[in-house]
């Protein structure tokens, strides 16, 4: 007790108390309740990014966490998200931790007149100019329906040729039951100039996604380097769509649409995905998902999940997004995000891996478990012909005859070369 009451101890205690009062306002500024809440919800991003005071419109990220920006100095052009893009919550007061974007473009930073006109994708491999983001927003707005929902597919030169994949894809909408009107809400994301020219000749909602130095025009064979680049590019675009506040159904162009899928979507799920193999339980993580058909609602959980998903490719290099999804869905970090994930039954959302046998209920048929554009086109042509035959039958004929898909044929042994 005598030591504690000594003049030196009293001086040290007083100094510590003064320091606490001096530092407290700064700690409160950098670690507000909103900021702490955001950090606690981000299971994959425990660190903050810093930008320099002289160049605060560009994100200088650390290797560990490219997701949150920390701005030094008295930066006045902070980012603010709109209600449609709830990843980061705008706060009042002088809190330099959180970014604010304008209501019209929640991905664009308010910057000084000398700022860059490009906004980087999270993975740093590509850029969107302000013009490109504006074009994307315009296409999404004109195509959206059902509370800001769009249908999205991607197209490159190989799949855009006459009498090729895009023709089968669009024909299925016209032949399906209650699917023709969905063409008014379909956005085709084209990856090269040839695909762009074909798209604008057959469809009204086209958006060009380019990557400098990467050629996406040719056929991308499964698991090649170009194939992986195309899959990850697609995944990151979908994150951008979510951040812009749009829900989406993403569909590969080798999927035939025969009925309205929306009645089969869960009312409370954040993320729903088709399966190569479905075990009968829509919540079972043992299902084998296929990323070629997903229904995603835009909210903080799904945006965080797409960032997490993209970041995981650094942990599993050389693997595609679907393989990584199969792994990360079992990880504790995935569960911490809190996203409600559901798996779609192959009874309604079938494919060559596990076909839907009920012609009266099938919504889509996917040329999955198949390698090679020629093989896919041959078998999907059979699928279209079988659907036409089914539609031409009378109710009595449908009762008396058992209708079956003739495909897969060419695709059945495509993995064997």
């Amino acid at each position: 007790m005598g030591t504690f009451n000594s003049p030196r101890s009293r001086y040290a205690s007083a100094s510590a108390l003064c320091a606490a009062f001096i530092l407290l306002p700064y700690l409160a500024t950098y670690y507000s309740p909103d900021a702490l809440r955001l950090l606690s919800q981000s299971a994959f991003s425990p660190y903050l990014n810093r930008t320099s005071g002289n160049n605060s419109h560009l994100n200088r990220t650390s290797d560990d966490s490219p997701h949150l920006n920390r701005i030094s100095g008295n930066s006045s052009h902070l980012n603010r998200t709109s209600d449609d893009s709830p990843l980061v919550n705008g706060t009042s007061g002088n809190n330099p931790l959180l970014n604010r974007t304008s209501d019209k473009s929640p991905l664009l930073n308010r910057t000084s007149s000398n700022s860059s006109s490009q906004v980087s994708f999270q993975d740093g491999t590509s850029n969107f100019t302000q013009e490109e983001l504006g074009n994307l927003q315009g296409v999404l707005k004109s195509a959206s329906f059902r509370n800001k929902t769009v249908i999205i597919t991607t197209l490159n030169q190989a799949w855009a040729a006459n009498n090729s994949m895009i023709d089968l894809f669009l024909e299925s909408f016209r032949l399906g039951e209650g699917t023709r009107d969905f063409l008014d809400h379909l956005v085709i994301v084209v990856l090269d100039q040839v695909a762009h020219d074909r798209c604008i000749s057959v469809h009204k909602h086209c958006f060009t996604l380019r990557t400098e130095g990467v050629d996406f025009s040719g056929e991308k064979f499964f698991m090649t380097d170009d194939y992986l680049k195309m899959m990850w590019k697609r995944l990151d675009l979908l994150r951008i769509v979510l951040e812009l506040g749009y829900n989406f159904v993403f569909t590969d162009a080798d999927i035939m649409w025969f009925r309205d899928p929306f009645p089969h979507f869960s009312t409370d799920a954040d993320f729903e995905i088709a399966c190569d193999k479905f075990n009968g339980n829509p919540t079972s993580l043992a299902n084998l998902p296929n990323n070629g058909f997903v229904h995603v609602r835009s909210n903080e959980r799904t945006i965080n999940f797409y960032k997490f998903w993209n970041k995981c490719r650094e942990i599993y290099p050389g693997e595609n997004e679907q393989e990584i999804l199969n792994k990360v869905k079992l990880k504790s970090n995935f569960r911490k995000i809190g996203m409600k994930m559901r798996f779609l039954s192959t009874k309604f959302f079938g494919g060559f891996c596990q076909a839907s046998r009920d012609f009266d209920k099938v919504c889509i048929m996917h040329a999955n478990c198949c390698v090679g554009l020629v093989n896919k086109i041959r078998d999907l042509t059979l699928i279209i012909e079988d659907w036409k035959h089914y539609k031409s039958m009378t109710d009595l004929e449908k009762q008396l005859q058992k209708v079956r898909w003739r495909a897969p044929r060419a695709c059945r042994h495509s993995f064997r070369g």
Side-chain angles (χ1 to χ4, degrees):
M1 295 293 292
T3 303
F4 177 78
N5 291 322
S6 66
R8 179 177 297 178
S9 298
R10 289 195 297 272
Y11 176 79
S13 300
S15 298
L17 186 61
C18 290
F21 278 110
I22 293 172
L23 291 175
L24 186 59
Y26 296 96
L27 293 174
T29 299
Y30 277 96
Y31 297 101
S32 68
D34 284 334
L36 292 174
R37 182 183 61 80
L38 178 63
L39 291 174
S40 67
Q41 290 174 345
S42 180
F44 51 88
S45 180
Y47 304 106
L48 299 176
N49 295 332
R50 300 174 181 269
T51 60
S52 64
N54 295 327
N55 199 17
S56 57
H57 57 278
L58 299 179
N59 294 334
R60 185 179 297 169
T61 62
S62 66
D63 293 336
D64 294 319
S65 176
H67 309 295
L68 300 178
N69 298 328
R70 185 173 184 175
I71 304 174
S72 63
N74 297 319
S75 174
S76 61
H77 44 276
L78 306 178
N79 298 336
R80 176 187 234 163
T81 58
S82 67
D83 293 339
D84 291 326
S85 181
L87 176 61
V88 181
N89 295 325
T91 61
S92 61
N94 298 320
N95 188 347
L97 176 62
L98 302 180
N99 293 335
R100 297 180 180 176
T101 59
S102 67
D103 293 337
K104 294 182 179 179
S105 180
L107 294 177
L108 297 177
N109 295 333
R110 288 180 179 173
T111 63
S112 64
S113 59
N114 296 324
S115 66
S116 169
S117 64
Q118 290 188 331
V119 178
S120 296
F121 276 101
Q122 183 214 338
D123 64 359
T125 60
S126 55
N127 293 298
F128 260 13
T129 64
Q130 291 185 7
E131 180 181 1
E132 288 171 329
L133 277 174
N135 290 340
L136 176 59
Q137 288 178 303
V139 171
L140 294 174
K141 183 178 180 180
S142 63
S144 68
F145 72 132
R146 297 188 182 185
N147 192 27
K148 297 189 72 174
T149 298
V150 292
I151 302 168
I152 302 175
T153 193
T154 53
L155 183 69
N156 68 349
Q157 177 180 340
W159 286 38
N162 288 323
N163 300 315
S164 186
M165 190 64 72
I166 188 60
D167 298 288
L168 291 171
F169 178 68
L170 296 177
E171 184 180 7
S172 73
F173 283 90
R174 292 187 282 267
L175 294 173
E177 295 180 356
T179 54
R180 179 183 289 268
D181 289 346
F182 286 142
L183 291 173
D184 293 331
H185 311 293
L186 170 68
V187 175
I188 300 179
V189 177
V190 297
L191 303 176
D192 56 74
Q193 187 60 46
V194 173
H196 169 268
D197 294 343
R198 182 72 204 287
C199 181
I200 62 176
S201 71
V202 297
H203 192 61
K204 63 180 179 180
H205 301 303
C206 304
F207 174 75
T208 302
L209 179 65
R210 293 189 177 91
T211 303
E212 186 176 351
V214 180
D215 180 12
F216 286 137
S217 62
E219 180 178 359
K220 304 306 175 189
F221 292 98
F222 186 66
M223 293 307 294
T224 61
D225 287 344
D226 281 350
Y227 172 87
L228 293 175
K229 289 177 182 177
M230 189 163 65
M231 293 300 101
W232 288 110
K233 178 79 172 183
R234 181 180 82 181
L235 192 76
D236 211 39
L237 172 69
L238 296 178
R239 173 185 61 83
I240 297 290
V241 172
L242 293 174
E243 290 189 345
L244 289 172
Y246 288 88
N247 315 306
F248 65 78
V249 175
F250 178 83
T251 170
D252 278 341
D254 62 348
I255 290 177
M256 304 295 101
W257 282 56
F258 294 134
R259 283 191 179 86
D260 181 357
F262 285 89
H264 303 287
F265 294 150
S266 172
T267 58
D268 64 346
D270 298 314
F271 178 95
E272 298 176 274
I273 187 167
C275 297
D276 285 340
K277 298 291 183 181
F278 179 69
N279 65 14
N281 182 353
T283 63
S284 171
L285 295 178
N287 286 300
L288 295 179
N290 187 298
N291 198 39
F293 189 90
V294 292
H295 172 232
V296 188
R297 291 183 169 89
S298 174
N299 56 45
E300 183 176 358
R301 295 179 296 276
T302 55
I303 293 170
N304 278 346
F305 168 65
Y306 268 78
K307 289 184 176 183
F308 171 66
W309 193 357
N310 196 302
K311 188 70 175 174
C312 284
R313 66 174 162 164
E314 299 176 11
I315 304 173
Y316 305 104
E319 298 190 23
N320 67 20
E321 85 293 354
Q322 187 168 300
E323 292 172 331
I324 291 178
L325 175 61
N326 272 326
K327 294 178 179 179
V328 302
K329 68 183 182 179
L330 303 174
K331 302 295 184 182
S332 60
N333 279 354
F334 169 75
R335 292 190 293 272
K336 290 178 182 178
I337 294 173
M339 186 183 72
K340 295 179 181 178
M341 184 175 184
R342 297 291 183 271
F343 299 90
L344 298 170
S345 169
T346 50
K347 180 178 183 179
F348 306 102
F349 303 89
F352 294 165
C353 299
Q354 193 176 65
S356 172
R357 299 297 181 186
D358 194 337
F359 275 67
D360 292 327
K361 296 184 178 179
V362 61
C363 293
I364 67 166
M365 278 293 288
H366 186 188
N368 51 5
C369 291
C370 184
V371 172
L373 178 59
V374 172
N375 294 325
K376 287 175 179 283
I377 290 175
R378 287 175 179 172
D379 278 356
L380 288 177
T381 300
L382 292 178
I383 293 292
I384 289 288
E385 291 175 356
D386 292 342
W387 178 257
K388 287 180 178 179
H389 172 64
Y390 164 79
K391 293 293 293 178
S392 69
M393 298 170 66
T394 65
D395 291 340
L396 180 60
E397 288 174 331
K398 291 175 182 178
Q399 292 176 8
L400 297 176
Q401 299 180 29
K402 185 66 175 178
V403 186
R404 296 183 181 274
W405 303 110
R406 289 177 291 166
R409 289 185 178 178
C411 288
R412 189 180 301 279
H413 306 296
S414 60
F415 278 93
R416 303 176 186 177

